Amino acid sequence: MTVVGPFGLCVRDQALEADVQAGLSAVEAGLLEATKSEVPFITEAAQHLVRAGGKRFRPLLAMLASQFGDPDAPGIVPSAVVVELTHLATLYHDDVMDEADVRRGVDSANIRWGNSVAVLTGDFLFARASHILADLGPEAVRIQAEAFERLVTGQILETAGPRDGRDPVGHYLDVIAGKTGSLIAVSGRFGAMMSGADESVVDILTQYGERLGVAFQLADDVLDIASDSHESGKTPGTDLREGIPTLPVLLLRAQAAAEGKPDDLELVELLDGDLNDDARLAEALRRLRVHPALDQARQDTIRYAQEARASLAPLPECYAKAALEELCDAVVHRAG
């Protein structure tokens, strides 16, 4: 049993480990190559988050999905680079919208160079991803375009909020299926598709990726409240401070509205106040960390991860399937 990839994922076969490690190394080289520019400043800004590291969750999923076909097929690594570049680009934009100070343990690009450079660097990464994608064929372009549309739609829906009469929790789950699940689903889809796996296998790994992506985001929601900056790589309470709805907060609000407990109503009032004050933010985090809403969010994370695992049932038993199942457990472990 060997630890590889994000979260200490256990790979139980040496041949699979070698394939995955080689694939991830090739992706890393591809990311550095794709973020080079003739303008040194652009290279520095574009490689800022690449060099900061990261879990490379999406490339890992693509590498594991490719095991159900030919893992040496030429399109696998470039498609994984495309997905990771797209993800990195969204991080530059997210940090501008969220006014985040820290990303992956380093200053966010907007703090280091300002909002304009951060936004334009994200655009540069999108352009480079499109350039690579063009060589993978029209079907790959269509799949990525549809996923990117879903991602942007999810972001817009998050900004707009639920329409009148819509359950905020249901709205939020739709948001993260678009914002996060869509791109992780493409990771599984590209890995399987580029390897020449059967269409039924491609469909299974696409569904798996979307469900796991939702679990992944819900785990992040829990981490925003429960972790410290060393553990999560970003400032705790960033989403709280920016008023971004996350599942624990939405569950708290629903409980406060339904039951009217004074402590819950007081905590909601605290969250609705000025959380730019460090003391108020610290108090909100302290109280949320012991609130049942956080445990409920953890349980919902587990449920989506279990659904992702169950979707793998039709696949043949093999080390790659076992690793995908292990990935479900690893995502849950992040949420405690």
Side-chain angles (χ1 to χ4, degrees), residues 7-276:
F7 327 129
L9 175 67
C10 292
V11 175
R12 295 171 171 81
D13 177 68
Q14 289 185 347
L16 175 58
E17 178 202 353
D19 278 350
V20 171
Q21 293 283 25
L24 291 176
S25 295
V27 168
E28 207 65 28
L31 289 171
L32 290 172
E33 183 62 30
T35 48
K36 287 180 182 176
S37 168
E38 294 179 355
V39 181
F41 176 68
I42 295 177
T43 301
E44 181 185 4
Q47 292 186 350
H48 179 61
L49 290 184
V50 174
R51 294 188 180 279
K55 294 175 285 292
R56 302 295 187 252
F57 179 71
R58 292 155 188 82
L60 174 63
L61 178 53
M63 295 305 117
L64 291 173
S66 73
Q67 294 292 318
F68 294 89
D70 175 10
D72 297 319
I76 295 166
V77 168
S79 68
V81 171
V82 165
V83 175
E84 188 68 6
L85 280 174
T86 303
H87 170 59
L88 288 169
T90 66
L91 297 184
Y92 282 84
H93 289 179
D94 282 352
D95 285 346
V96 171
M97 290 186 290
D98 299 344
E99 299 179 0
D101 296 334
V102 177
R103 171 70 70 174
R104 295 183 171 176
V106 299
D107 287 345
S108 59
N110 48 298
I111 290 297
R112 186 162 181 176
W113 293 295
N115 286 345
S116 295
V117 168
V119 170
L120 291 169
T121 301
D123 293 344
F124 175 80
L125 296 183
F126 285 132
R128 286 298 175 87
S130 297
H131 188 272
I132 298 169
L133 193 63
D135 292 332
L136 297 176
E139 178 67 3
V141 172
R142 182 186 64 79
I143 289 168
Q144 177 73 357
E146 289 175 353
F148 191 50
E149 179 183 347
R150 287 189 62 205
L151 190 158
V152 173
T153 299
Q155 185 68 65
I156 292 171
L157 288 175
E158 179 180 74
T159 302
R163 64 180 182 274
D164 289 345
R166 179 77 200 278
D167 171 36
V169 173
H171 170 83
Y172 179 66
L173 292 173
D174 286 346
V175 164
I176 62 176
K179 270 187 61 177
T180 305
S182 61
L183 201 55
I184 294 177
V186 167
S187 300
R189 186 171 185 176
F190 274 168
M193 185 178 83
M194 296 296 169
S195 76
D198 290 344
E199 189 62 36
S200 61
V201 173
V202 175
D203 290 343
I204 288 169
L205 290 168
T206 303
Q207 294 168 20
Y208 165 85
E210 175 133 353
R211 290 167 182 164
L212 190 64
V214 173
F216 185 87
Q217 181 57 58
L218 295 183
D220 263 5
D221 287 359
V222 172
L223 280 171
D224 186 64
I225 294 168
S227 73
D228 56 32
S229 57
H230 173 74
E231 183 180 356
S232 65
K234 66 178 185 178
T235 305
T238 296
D239 293 338
L240 287 183
R241 178 164 269 167
E242 297 307 316
I244 297 170
T246 60
L247 188 60
V249 172
L250 292 172
L251 292 171
L252 163 69
R253 292 183 184 279
Q255 182 173 320
E259 300 177 7
K261 293 179 181 178
D263 286 351
D264 290 348
L265 294 171
E266 185 179 302
L267 180 51
V268 168
E269 184 178 354
L270 177 63
L271 294 174
D272 288 339
D274 182 11
L275 293 182
N276 287 312

